[in-house]
Amino acid sequence: MRDDLVQATSMLAMGELAVYPTDTVYGLGADAIAADAVERVYDLKGRSREDPLSMAVPDVDEALEHVTVTEREESFMREFLPGPVTVVLERQGHVPDALTAGRDRVGIRIPDHELALELLDEFAPITATSANRSGEANATHPDELDGAIREGVGAVVDGGELPGGESTVVDPGNDEIHRRGRGADEVEQWLAEH
């Protein structure tokens, strides 16, 4: 296993933050089940506590350990994940309010990126949010990371240049697309047909 992945895994296990590549932009990861680690993400990003964070997991089976889904929601996940889609689902009780801003649903992300999935195989779930200060540009290369972000994390997993863009955020249970991003048209078509 690559040194930066080993470093990121041990930092996450200690409640620290790590930057990791996804199939869109660089993400800021922390233990998504540990409220204090999640709070650090808000602090480092300067993000409003009213804005929920999503969680990243390595596969749908692991996601089902943190959310309660209908058959249709599960088939949606198996169709689109891994991929640049965040699926909003009913959270289970152990998922902290800090992550969801007190809401009863949580976004699930399974990035289609080899290094992200390797990291998630070692440590999951982690927060899935862009590795930037709120309101600033997303980083598609480690060189673009804000100095404060770089200083505030224990590890950066370098995946080189990433394609950019945003994930499509969708609540398949309510047939609602919250944010149109990559793959939004396919998501819309699936919702209409199932």
Side-chain angles (χ1 to χ4, degrees):
M1 195 159 137
R2 290 170 37 149
D3 287 352
D4 52 2
L5 281 171
V6 173
Q7 174 82 359
T9 303
S10 63
M11 286 293 132
L12 291 166
M14 291 178 351
E16 298 297 326
L17 311 187
V19 169
Y20 63 98
T22 74
D23 45 9
T24 53
V25 298
Y26 277 87
L28 185 59
D31 183 343
I33 301 301
D36 55 342
V38 172
E39 293 288 352
R40 284 201 192 98
V41 172
Y42 280 104
D43 290 341
L44 187 57
K45 283 178 67 76
R47 182 183 176 100
S48 161
R49 297 294 196 283
E50 301 297 304
D51 291 338
L53 297 172
S54 297
M55 67 162 65
V57 292
D59 54 48
V60 171
D61 291 339
E62 167 112 9
L64 297 176
E65 294 175 20
H66 307 290
V67 291
T68 304
V69 297
T70 62
E71 274 182 42
R72 181 169 179 263
E73 288 168 333
E74 184 177 339
S75 16
F76 179 88
M77 291 168 82
R78 294 198 185 279
E79 177 72 26
F80 286 98
L81 301 177
V85 177
T86 301
V87 187
V88 179
L89 302 155
E90 184 185 340
R91 67 170 172 153
Q92 291 185 18
H94 66 272
V95 176
D97 282 346
L99 188 74
T100 66
R103 295 180 172 94
D104 61 357
R105 294 173 90 70
V106 66
I108 294 287
R109 182 94 160 79
I110 305 176
D112 191 8
H113 189 289
E114 191 181 346
L115 288 173
L117 293 171
E118 269 188 66
L119 177 63
L120 290 162
D121 274 336
E122 296 297 321
F123 192 99
I126 62 175
T127 54
T129 182
S130 48
N132 60 343
R133 302 274 300 159
S134 278
E136 302 291 318
N138 291 330
T140 55
H141 191 279
D143 294 347
E144 296 171 359
L145 290 168
D146 183 270
I149 298 282
R150 199 174 265 286
E151 280 171 31
V153 301
V156 175
V157 178
D158 188 345
E161 187 70 36
L162 302 177
E166 290 185 315
S167 66
T168 289
V169 181
V170 57
D171 182 335
N174 293 310
D175 284 331
E176 200 176 343
I177 295 178
H178 293 297
R179 179 177 78 192
R180 293 184 72 84
R182 304 234 324 262
D185 292 347
E186 292 89 328
V187 166
E188 202 164 46
Q189 187 176 349
W190 191 97
L191 292 175
E193 290 172 1
H194 293 79

